[in-house]
Amino acid sequence: TSASMPKLNFDNHFKDLFENTSDLIHFLNIDGKIELVNPAWLNTLEYQLDEVVGKSIYDFIHPPCIEEYRTLREKAIVTKERSDIITTFLTRSNIEVVGEGQIGCSYNEGKPVYTRCVFKNITARKIAEKKLEDSEKRLKTFLHSGPDAVIVIDEYQEILEWNSKAETIFGFAADEVIGRALSDTIIPPHYREAHKRGMAHFLQTGEGPVLNKTIEITALHKKGHEFYINLSISNVKVEGQWLFIAFLSDITERKKTEEALIDKEAELLQAKLQEEKKDECSSIARHELKTP
């Protein structure tokens, strides 16, 4: 039973953990000077042990992060509770290393003796998050400064995105429509049932007759009047849910021009027919006059 279990040497185990963990560990005296750091700390920040012992920890922290680190360390000392922190170190070659961890304090007879901190290196994660954030910013810039209205809805028809051009074209501010169903906003009443059927058909079969095509259709303005738009819809699946991205442009003026041209052509054709009829009548009259 317990007598047969090997006796653990905790000092050796803790030493093994200290020396071989990938986390960055440092111990500071109460004045903030380094007493001990582990190999991962040295390797990551590109220093030797004798180069850092006795130095202030603030010599190795990115200047914009120093005040926050100092504040949280003092809080841990005073409250005797660990403080969560994300901070940035600087390597010897001035490369930023982001660490996430906790600051704690050790006491002797109620008096603070030293602080300790274990940091997980999250630099790669932060770089990935920054790239994603930059990508999202670029996409937002494109969506909100593009020439077309851009509307994004989910498979429940709920509006997720509504750019500034959509506000201009349809009269609805974004905060008036985000979260509402598309059919309750810009789809004219006589198209709503067809829209619902089309959405249901796509979700069942994966087929949509208007997807990835450009069509002309009427939309409903906030003030209640219908007008012509160009509409193109694409779809994408994100985390198991379909999203639909619509690009729309107001073609009211173009339609007016087209209708005016059609009316003009009709007038010219009517005038031509009348002229031809007049010539035909004149020809018949001349013929009749020449006939005995």
Side-chain angles (χ1 to χ4, degrees):
T1 58
S2 60
S4 64
M5 294 177 64
K7 185 177 180 180
L8 297 178
N9 187 325
F10 286 103
D11 288 342
N12 288 340
H13 283 74
F14 286 134
K15 181 180 178 182
D16 179 65
L17 178 63
F18 179 80
E19 291 182 348
N20 293 292
T21 181
S22 60
D23 293 341
L24 283 62
I25 304 173
H26 64 239
F27 293 89
L28 313 177
N29 68 20
I30 208 64
D31 296 322
K33 292 189 173 7
I34 296 173
E35 292 185 338
L36 183 64
V37 297
N38 72 331
W41 196 101
L42 294 170
N43 293 335
T44 302
L45 301 185
E46 305 170 351
Y47 287 100
Q48 299 297 319
L49 184 60
D50 58 2
E51 295 178 299
V52 301
V53 171
K55 298 284 184 66
S56 170
I57 188 62
Y58 303 114
D59 292 340
F60 305 94
I61 294 178
H62 192 33
C65 301
I66 289 176
E67 191 56 39
E68 180 185 25
Y69 188 98
R70 181 181 284 114
T71 300
L72 291 175
R73 183 171 182 268
E74 291 173 355
K75 177 184 175 184
I77 293 171
V78 172
T79 64
K80 298 184 179 181
E81 296 179 355
R82 288 189 294 270
S83 296
D84 294 325
I85 184 172
I86 295 178
T87 195
T88 303
F89 297 93
L90 288 178
T91 68
R92 178 194 292 276
S93 52
N94 212 37
I95 296 173
E96 296 181 12
V97 174
V98 183
E100 179 180 44
Q102 289 185 327
I103 303 173
C105 185
S106 183
Y107 302 84
N108 185 11
E109 297 182 354
K111 292 183 179 180
V113 180
Y114 63 84
T115 60
R116 60 191 176 277
C117 197
V118 180
F119 284 102
K120 185 173 294 294
N121 187 346
I122 61 169
T123 307
R125 190 185 87 192
K126 284 296 182 181
I127 291 173
E129 289 175 354
K130 182 66 165 58
K131 288 182 178 179
L132 179 61
E133 182 182 345
D134 290 343
S135 176
E136 288 177 348
K137 284 182 179 178
R138 287 193 295 270
L139 180 59
K140 287 280 188 183
T141 300
F142 167 75
L143 290 178
H144 288 278
S145 62
D148 292 336
V150 180
I151 301 172
V152 180
I153 66 170
D154 62 18
E155 58 192 46
Y156 304 105
Q157 300 188 56
E158 184 177 316
I159 298 171
L160 306 178
E161 292 286 346
W162 185 273
N163 74 344
S164 56
K165 192 66 175 180
E167 292 182 331
T168 301
I169 291 177
F170 297 103
F172 291 99
D175 57 8
E176 293 181 285
V177 295
I178 297 294
R180 291 177 60 186
L182 186 69
S183 57
D184 295 338
T185 54
I186 65 170
I187 298 180
H190 50 277
Y191 290 142
R192 290 175 184 174
E193 189 58 36
H195 171 73
K196 291 178 182 178
R197 287 199 306 269
M199 181 70 78
H201 178 75
F202 173 81
L203 295 176
Q204 289 177 356
T205 66
E207 298 176 354
V210 299
L211 290 175
N212 302 308
K213 297 177 182 178
T214 300
I215 62 172
E216 292 183 4
I217 196 170
T218 59
L220 192 63
H221 193 273
K222 180 182 178 180
K223 293 182 179 179
H225 63 271
E226 290 186 38
F227 61 101
Y228 277 98
I229 60 168
N230 254 0
L231 171 64
S232 178
I233 304 175
S234 297
N235 60 312
V236 62
K237 205 165 195 177
V238 179
E239 297 180 353
Q241 183 180 3
W242 283 108
L243 298 181
F244 301 88
I245 307 169
F247 297 87
L248 314 95
S249 56
D250 184 351
I251 58 171
T252 304
E253 293 304 316
R254 196 191 82 191
K255 295 297 288 186
K256 287 181 179 179
T257 302
E258 289 176 356
E259 290 174 0
L261 287 173
I262 291 172
D263 290 343
K264 187 65 176 177
E265 288 178 358
E267 290 178 5
L268 291 173
L269 179 59
Q270 185 177 14
K272 182 180 179 181
L273 290 174
Q274 288 178 345
E275 187 65 28
E276 290 177 350
K277 187 175 182 180
K278 180 180 177 182
D279 291 344
E280 183 181 356
C281 290
S282 297
S283 177
I284 292 173
R286 286 196 298 271
H287 176 73
E288 290 293 334
L289 288 172
K290 293 179 181 179
T291 301

